[in-house]
Amino acid sequence: GVVDAVFSRSTGLSAEAILAFVQQLCAVSRAEVSKSLTSLRGRDGVADGSQPRVFSLQKLVEVADWNMPVRGRVVWQAVWRELSEHFATVGVHENLQLGLYAIDSLRQLSFKFLHKAE
C-alpha cells in the first residue's frame, strides 16, 4: 500500500535524507515504546495486558533491510549507529516481550550485515 511505499522507497533517498528518515523513525518508535509502557501499566499503574506497539520498530527493520545493500559504507555506518543505539535501548525495556523483539531484530540485522557481500 501507500504507507509501505514510503518505507520501501527510502532506498531512493539521498545520504542525508536516509539518515534523517531513520532518526525520525527512531523518534516515533521511542514515542510508541514510551506510550506502550504507559498503556501497559494502565491509569492505575497496574499492567492491563496490552501488547506493546512495535509498528515503527518493524519499519526500522524493513528500512534497514532494504537500505543495507544499496548504501555505501560511510552512509550505512551512520544509519547503523542510529539503529543499533535505538534497538539496544529498547532491548533493555522493562517489557520483556518488547525487549526480546528489539534484541532479536538487532541480531538479525547484524547477521545480515556480516554476511553481506562487499
Side-chain angles (χ1 to χ4, degrees):
V2 175
V3 173
D4 287 332
V6 169
F7 300 101
S8 64
R9 292 185 182 163
S10 66
T11 56
L13 295 173
S14 69
E16 221 174 73
I18 188 59
L19 184 56
F21 185 75
V22 167
Q23 288 169 335
Q24 294 308 309
L25 191 51
C26 285
V28 171
S29 179
R30 275 190 299 277
E32 281 182 348
V33 167
S34 177
K35 185 175 182 177
S36 293
L37 184 57
T38 303
S39 69
L40 286 170
R41 288 188 179 146
R43 283 188 218 139
D44 58 1
V46 177
D48 66 3
S50 297
Q51 294 299 313
R53 287 189 48 98
V54 294
F55 177 82
S56 296
L57 211 52
Q58 289 171 330
K59 292 304 175 188
L60 281 166
V61 172
E62 292 173 16
V63 167
D65 194 31
W66 287 317
N67 279 272
M68 190 184 304
V70 299
R71 299 294 171 177
R73 185 171 281 251
V74 172
V75 174
W76 179 251
Q77 184 178 17
V79 169
W80 182 249
R81 191 176 309 117
E82 297 293 328
L83 290 170
S84 60
E85 183 179 312
H86 180 63
F87 281 109
T89 299
V90 177
V92 295
H93 194 275
E94 67 181 61
N95 178 287
L96 181 61
Q97 188 177 23
L98 188 58
L100 288 174
Y101 181 86
I103 296 299
D104 187 54
S105 297
L106 183 59
R107 180 191 60 78
Q108 287 177 34
L109 288 172
S110 298
F111 185 78
K112 283 183 182 184
F113 178 75
L114 291 173
H115 288 87
K116 173 185 163 188
E118 282 297 319

